Amino acid sequence: MRRMAKGVVVLASTALALTLAACGDDEAADPKSTTDPAALKAELTWWDTSDPKNEGPAFQELIAKFNDTYPNVTINYQSVPFGEAQNKFKTAAQAKTGAPDILRAEVAWVPEFASLGYLYALDGSELLADESDFLATPLSANKYDGKTYGVPQVTDSLALLYNKELLNQAGIAEAPKSWADLKTAALTIKQKTGVEGLYLNPAGYFLLPFLYGEGGDLVDPQAKKIVVNSAQNVAGLQVAKDLIASGAAAKPAANDAYGTMMTLFKEKKVAMIINGPWEVNNVGSAPTFGGLENLGVAPVPAGSVKAGAPVGGHNYVVWSGMPQEKVDAAVAFVRFMSSAESQAYVADRLGLLPTRTSAYALDTVKTNPMISAFKPVVDSAVARPWIPEGGQFFGPLDQMATEVLVQNKDPKAALDGVAGKYKAEVVPAYGM
């Protein structure tokens, strides 16, 4: 059973004459406030979980810009592998030592960390003074039990990425709009160009568009029911499996399928993939791809019910064990990094989508063709269940994806296995 926080840990900037309350007790402190950025002194540790090669440098450049205004706030930047960060943070936070002051958290992690008492609630702080400027869906991922525990950094979703040149060579005038159209297009590309038409990454997150396309989902939080092995999801998973069995999609690699997918796509050996805006910079800089002008972006194809891809993204969160004397510096840093100007900078450098309405009004964002292409994708994305257990859904899903797409296991049997694991390990109070 999950341990629930006995109290709410609230982060408040002293610039607003608020206090920082300790979790589970009545003590509070009101550090001396300062209005002079140069007089603000602190050392903060930030765990950045972005790709260290393609994305990390841009965030380090932002830190340098932050220090132009706050020269005496030292940011101890640490690149932490995304796949390790969730458990590493929980282990350090539970031990009350070694956790970062600030973490770049995947959207599904926030409700879980908040439920465990590992995050400061940000309500009332300067960080949410302009809360209405944030897009509603990215902001919703930071809510838990009536409080807000994070600030949206970037938002994203999955799209169909395609090589315009290869589609043109195959005589395909527009991106496929349904999975059936995708199958036909991929087989045509393979026949006419000799290049693989499609590559599917065998991971749970990347299979969600197939499940959503048939009207499926993982759980029903309102009914407290596990629905991952529904007939809709079996049908959606069968569509993905058939793309591989028919030869429309290449058989995924058993090891590092994602890396293989990206290498083949960048080298123009695969015409279409399902992926997100975090790879735009990587693809655009590939020496043999042909630049961003050769990169097409379209919504994921539709199933029999709809076209739908999951909402993704990352948030800035603050560890509840951070010393109180660092409050002003932490607020200043997160406020700077999440500002419209900083988001526009990241959008321009990396193609990542802002979470602020005001950022989309800035010229560097308005004129960015990749942002314009991905914005409709994100606007129509499907919100995931924002429950504490949400971050635990993907381990079983990843295993299932490998079983079905690589090992050729029956979709119904594989999804039944996921449902059993959800019941035993993730949401035991839910029915099936």
Side-chain angles (χ1 to χ4, degrees):
M1 181 178 294
R2 294 185 178 278
R3 179 179 67 83
M4 300 301 291
K6 295 181 180 180
V8 177
V9 193
V10 180
L11 177 73
S13 169
T14 55
L16 294 180
L18 298 173
T19 60
L20 177 62
C23 179
D25 61 37
D26 296 323
E27 296 180 2
D30 187 7
K32 294 181 180 179
S33 63
T34 176
T35 57
D36 180 8
L40 190 60
K41 296 181 179 181
E43 181 174 349
L44 299 170
T45 296
W46 178 38
W47 282 6
D48 179 16
T49 59
S50 70
D51 183 282
K53 179 180 178 181
N54 298 317
E55 299 174 311
F59 293 114
Q60 293 179 70
E61 290 164 9
L62 277 178
I63 291 173
K65 293 177 180 291
F66 169 78
N67 283 138
D68 288 342
T69 302
Y70 295 91
N72 296 312
V73 177
T74 300
I75 305 299
N76 179 17
Y77 176 89
Q78 296 181 16
S79 178
V80 178
F82 176 79
E84 302 173 8
Q86 183 181 11
N87 288 332
K88 186 174 182 179
F89 179 81
K90 286 196 293 185
T91 298
Q94 184 177 24
K96 299 182 179 180
T97 181
D101 301 301
I102 300 163
L103 170 71
R104 175 185 180 266
E106 205 271 344
V107 288
W109 301 351
V110 179
E112 179 187 15
F113 294 164
S115 75
L116 295 170
Y118 296 161
L119 303 179
Y120 279 123
L122 306 179
D123 305 87
S125 77
E126 291 181 25
L127 297 176
L128 297 177
D130 53 354
E131 182 174 343
S132 62
D133 189 40
F134 288 103
L135 301 177
T137 301
L139 184 64
S140 70
N142 294 282
K143 304 286 187 178
Y144 173 73
D145 200 23
K147 297 286 184 179
T148 307
Y149 289 90
V151 176
Q153 182 203 41
V154 295
T155 187
D156 60 56
S157 188
L158 293 172
L160 179 68
L161 307 187
Y162 60 95
N163 185 307
K164 294 179 181 178
E165 179 185 341
L166 290 175
L167 265 66
N168 287 336
Q169 288 178 12
I172 299 171
E174 61 179 6
K177 290 183 171 58
S178 70
W179 295 123
D181 291 342
L182 181 69
K183 180 179 178 179
T184 300
L187 289 171
T188 301
I189 291 167
K190 189 173 183 178
Q191 178 186 10
K192 293 189 175 182
T193 70
V195 170
E196 292 286 357
L198 176 67
Y199 196 109
L200 298 178
N201 182 38
Y205 187 78
F206 289 77
L207 285 182
L208 289 180
F210 293 94
L211 309 189
Y212 293 158
E214 300 304 316
D217 210 329
L218 306 181
V219 297
D220 181 343
Q222 297 298 322
K224 293 191 178 301
K225 184 178 180 180
I226 296 167
V227 298
V228 69
N229 58 338
S230 67
Q232 293 93 330
N233 285 348
V234 172
L237 191 54
Q238 186 62 54
V239 171
K241 184 180 179 183
D242 179 64
L243 286 170
I244 296 171
S246 67
K251 184 174 179 59
N255 298 306
D256 192 22
Y258 184 90
T260 300
M261 175 180 72
M262 291 312 304
T263 297
L264 294 175
F265 188 65
K266 290 187 294 182
E267 293 179 353
K268 300 166 69 172
K269 296 176 181 177
V270 165
M272 298 179 289
I273 62 174
I274 305 293
N275 216 329
W278 54 85
E279 286 291 359
V280 165
N281 188 50
N282 186 19
V283 173
S285 61
T288 59
F289 186 79
L292 290 181
E293 57 270 24
N294 190 38
L295 177 62
V297 177
V300 294
S304 65
V305 176
K306 65 180 180 180
V311 168
H314 295 85
N315 306 314
Y316 294 106
V317 297
V318 182
W319 177 41
S320 59
M322 183 190 72
Q324 298 177 16
E325 59 268 20
K326 295 185 179 183
V327 170
D328 283 345
V331 168
F333 178 66
V334 175
R335 187 175 63 237
F336 175 86
M337 296 293 284
S338 62
S339 68
E341 292 75 17
S342 291
Q343 291 193 10
Y345 180 82
V346 170
D348 187 53
R349 286 275 280 105
L350 303 177
L352 300 179
L353 275 72
T355 62
R356 286 183 177 273
T357 300
S358 57
Y360 287 93
L362 300 177
D363 287 342
T364 54
V365 177
K366 287 194 298 184
T367 59
N368 187 308
M370 286 293 105
I371 299 297
S372 298
F374 268 104
K375 185 60 164 59
V377 172
V378 170
D379 287 343
S380 61
V382 179
R384 290 143 62 187
W386 303 131
I387 59 176
E389 298 86 0
Q392 305 302 315
F393 287 145
F394 291 97
L397 277 182
D398 288 343
Q399 180 179 339
M400 175 275 297
T402 297
E403 290 173 349
V404 174
L405 298 189
V406 179
Q407 300 169 1
N408 201 33
K409 187 173 181 177
D410 175 68
K412 180 64 166 67
L415 288 171
D416 283 344
V418 175
K421 287 189 177 181
Y422 282 4
K423 178 65 176 177
E425 303 172 8
V426 184
V427 282
Y430 279 37
M432 295 178 64

